[in-house]
Amino acid sequence: MFNTNFDYLINEYMVYCRSHQLRAKTLNSYEQALRLFERWCKEQMSIDDVAKITDSVIRRYQKQKKERIIGIVKSPCIGTSSVIIFICYVEAYAIIAMEEQT
């Protein structure tokens, strides 16, 4: 089993992003979006483990975020793509961790 703690996986993901030499502004944007998602998951959904995130949790996040900032920003779901990419990274991370154990 691999570590599914939010903070740990966000940090691992940011290391991965840095290894691909993304710009500092991009890295900051990704991390900010992920930390906001982490906080929302904990406060709104009582989720503190990335393994408990489902498609419906992401859709609910998108919906609430869109409702909250419609009319303020041109792109109401800004940062949501970072969350989806992060979840894909975590899924790949889990597969690699399982393969390493066998």
Side-chain angles (χ1 to χ4, degrees):
M1 190 65 184
F2 75 104
N3 189 342
T4 57
N5 173 272
F6 251 113
D7 190 55
Y8 174 79
L9 287 171
I10 289 173
N11 289 335
E12 286 292 307
Y13 180 66
M14 296 312 299
V15 168
Y16 170 80
C17 289
R18 279 188 210 85
S19 75
H20 284 77
Q21 300 175 339
L22 298 179
R23 299 174 120 194
K25 188 174 180 178
T26 301
L27 293 169
N28 289 335
S29 175
Y30 285 7
E31 186 163 13
Q32 181 181 26
L34 294 174
R35 297 294 176 188
L36 287 171
F37 178 64
E38 173 187 22
R39 190 170 88 202
W40 178 87
C41 283
K42 289 178 179 179
E43 292 174 0
Q44 300 294 316
M45 305 296 291
S46 299
I47 294 174
D48 59 359
D49 186 324
V50 174
K52 295 178 183 174
I53 296 171
T54 63
D55 290 344
S56 63
V57 170
I58 294 172
R59 281 193 298 275
R60 184 170 174 183
Y61 177 70
Q62 287 174 312
K63 184 176 185 255
Q64 286 187 3
K65 192 168 185 182
K66 185 176 183 178
E67 289 170 354
R68 196 179 72 198
I69 58 177
I70 251 182
I72 299 172
V73 189
K74 287 184 181 177
S75 178
C77 288
I78 195 165
T80 305
S81 60
S82 298
V83 170
I84 294 168
I85 293 167
F86 170 70
I87 297 301
C88 292
Y89 168 82
V90 169
E91 289 173 352
Y93 188 89
I95 292 167
I96 291 167
M98 285 190 287
E99 288 176 355
E100 287 177 352
Q101 289 178 353
T102 59

